[in-house]
Amino acid sequence: MNVSSANVSVIVEYRDSFTKAVTKNVVVIALSISLNYINAGLIQTFCKHQIFYTNPRYILFFHLVVNDMIQVTVTVSLFIISYIFYEINVSLCSFFMLLALIVTENTPLNLACMAVECYIAVCMPLRHVQICTIRRTLLLIGLIWMTSILSTFPDLFITLATEQQDFFSTRVFCLRQRVFRNPHILKKRDVTYIIYLVIVWLIIFYTYFRILFTAKTACKNARKARNTIVLHGFQVLLCMAMYADPLLKGALLQWFPKNRSDSLFACYITIHILPRSVSAIIYGVRDKTFRKYLKRYLLCKVSTQ
C-alpha cells in the first residue's frame, strides 16, 4: 500500500533515449487502456442489471473497480507527464498526489469490507439481509473515503504550514517526496500504513478461518467464499508488495546499475499496473452470475456491430 503507486516513483530523473521513451509510454498506455476497457465493461454490466446494484457484494465490487480505474488513470497520467513536461507546478502535482494517495488507501479497506460481507453471507446467512443493507453498504463506502481523506490530507496541511508560500508556484519532478517532503509526513505515513495493513490482515485471516471451518461441514458456496477470501488476501498481499517497492528498486539498482530506468520501469508495471487486473478476474471470470451477464453484454455488443 506504499503510495509509490501514487507518486509514480518508478519514473526516473534520467532521460531515456527517444525510442525507449516511446516504447515505455506505448506499453503503459496500452496496458492502462486495456485494463480500463475491461473495467468499463464490468461497470456497464453492473449498471444495466438491477440484480447487481441491489446486492451489497456487487456494490462493493463496483466501488473497487471504479477506484482501480481512477488509480490507473492518475498514475499513468503522471507517467506520461513526466516524459512530456518532466517538471510540473507543485500545486498541480499536489492535487495528483492527494487523489492517488486516497484511492490507493481505499483499496485494502474495500477488500476488508468485501471479506466481511463474504463472512456474514456464509457464517450468518439468516442475518445477512438485515446486516448487509444497501444503505449500510453506501455508508460504508463513504466511511472508506472519509478514512482515506483524513489519513491523507494532513500531508497537505503540514506542507502548507511548513513550506514557504512561493514553493507552491515552483516546478518539480512530480514525486511524493518532492512535494510532501517534511520528515514528519514520512513517519506519519509509515505508522498509518502499518496500522491499516495489520487491521486488514486480521480481518482477512479471521474471515478466512471462520469460513474455512464452515466450509468443512457446509455447502459448496462456503468453499467458494473461502477461495474468494484467499484471492482478497492475494490482493492485499499485492498492496503490501508496494511496501517493499523501495527495497526491490534498491536491489535491482545494485544488481543492474547500468539499467536503472529499465529496472524501475519493470517495477512500475509489475507492482502498480498488473495487480489492477485481479478484481476483474475475481468477479468477471469466477463469479457465475456476473460472468453470465457479462457474456450477454459482450454478445449483444458484438451483434450490434
Side-chain angles (χ1 to χ4, degrees):
M1 201 172 65
N2 188 328
V3 193
S4 53
S5 66
N7 60 35
V8 197
S9 57
V10 63
I11 305 170
V12 296
E13 298 184 56
Y14 299 95
R15 296 287 189 174
D16 287 322
S17 66
F18 177 78
T19 303
K20 185 178 288 189
V22 170
T23 301
K24 289 180 179 180
N25 279 274
V26 168
V27 170
V28 169
I29 292 172
L31 287 173
S32 64
I33 290 176
S34 300
L35 288 174
N36 282 343
Y37 178 78
I38 294 170
N39 287 333
L42 296 174
I43 290 172
Q44 190 163 357
T45 303
F46 172 90
C47 294
K48 282 190 171 184
H49 301 94
Q50 187 178 4
I51 189 175
F52 296 126
Y53 53 80
T54 57
N55 187 317
R57 179 175 303 172
Y58 294 113
I59 292 174
L60 288 171
F61 165 65
F62 173 80
H63 175 249
L64 183 65
V65 170
V66 171
N67 195 78
D68 284 348
M69 289 185 70
I70 296 173
Q71 187 178 38
V72 169
T73 301
V74 172
T75 56
V76 169
S77 297
L78 285 175
F79 188 96
I80 296 170
I81 287 172
S82 73
Y83 278 96
I84 297 175
F85 301 106
Y86 191 64
E87 293 182 340
I88 62 175
N89 183 271
V90 170
S91 299
L92 180 60
C93 181
S94 299
F95 170 77
F96 279 120
M97 287 299 107
L98 289 174
L99 179 59
L101 285 163
I102 290 169
V103 294
T104 300
E105 293 189 13
N106 281 347
T107 300
L109 298 177
N110 198 99
L111 291 171
C113 293
M114 294 176 77
V116 172
E117 190 279 332
C118 280
Y119 160 73
I120 295 173
V122 173
C123 299
M124 296 184 287
L126 299 180
R127 299 186 59 191
H128 181 264
V129 176
Q130 289 76 26
I131 296 175
C132 299
T133 63
I134 304 301
R135 181 175 178 274
R136 287 180 177 175
T137 303
L138 296 176
L139 289 174
L140 188 61
I141 291 173
L143 181 62
I144 289 172
W145 278 87
M146 185 60 64
T147 302
S148 298
I149 289 171
L150 291 176
S151 169
T152 302
F153 267 66
D155 293 3
L156 177 62
F157 298 147
I158 293 173
T159 301
L160 289 171
T162 56
E163 297 289 351
Q164 297 293 328
Q165 188 173 359
D166 58 355
F167 169 70
F168 294 92
S169 60
T170 60
R171 297 171 65 87
V172 296
F173 188 80
C174 194
L175 299 175
R176 183 182 184 182
Q177 60 267 29
R178 292 290 182 86
V179 180
F180 305 128
R181 53 190 186 181
N182 189 287
H184 295 294
I185 294 176
L186 182 62
K187 294 179 181 178
K188 187 271 300 178
R189 181 198 66 187
D190 290 342
V191 171
T192 301
Y193 287 172
I194 290 172
I195 293 173
Y196 275 13
L197 289 175
V198 167
I199 293 174
V200 169
W201 271 113
L202 287 175
I203 292 173
I204 293 291
F205 277 117
Y206 176 79
T207 54
Y208 173 77
F209 284 110
R210 288 299 301 269
I211 291 174
L212 178 65
F213 178 77
T214 304
K216 290 181 179 179
T217 57
C219 60
K220 179 181 177 182
N221 288 335
R223 292 190 292 272
K224 183 178 178 181
R226 178 197 62 191
N227 295 334
T228 300
I229 296 294
V230 171
L231 287 173
H232 288 332
F234 175 66
Q235 285 180 280
V236 176
L237 186 63
L238 292 176
C239 294
M240 291 182 67
M242 297 178 192
Y243 248 140
D245 194 24
L247 295 176
L248 178 59
K249 288 175 184 174
L252 288 174
L253 294 177
Q254 186 175 3
W255 296 337
F256 309 103
K258 296 181 180 180
N259 303 100
R260 177 184 177 88
S261 62
D262 297 335
S263 298
L264 297 179
F265 177 73
C267 288
Y268 175 69
I269 294 296
T270 304
I271 296 177
H272 306 310
I273 297 293
L274 296 182
R276 306 277 79 79
S277 63
V278 175
S279 299
I281 293 173
I282 292 179
Y283 283 89
V285 179
R286 289 188 69 252
D287 189 276
K288 290 184 179 179
T289 304
F290 209 98
R291 186 169 67 243
K292 180 179 70 174
Y293 284 96
L294 183 61
K295 283 182 179 179
R296 188 179 303 175
Y297 160 74
L298 292 175
L299 290 174
C300 290
K301 192 169 183 180
V302 170
S303 63
T304 56
Q305 291 179 351

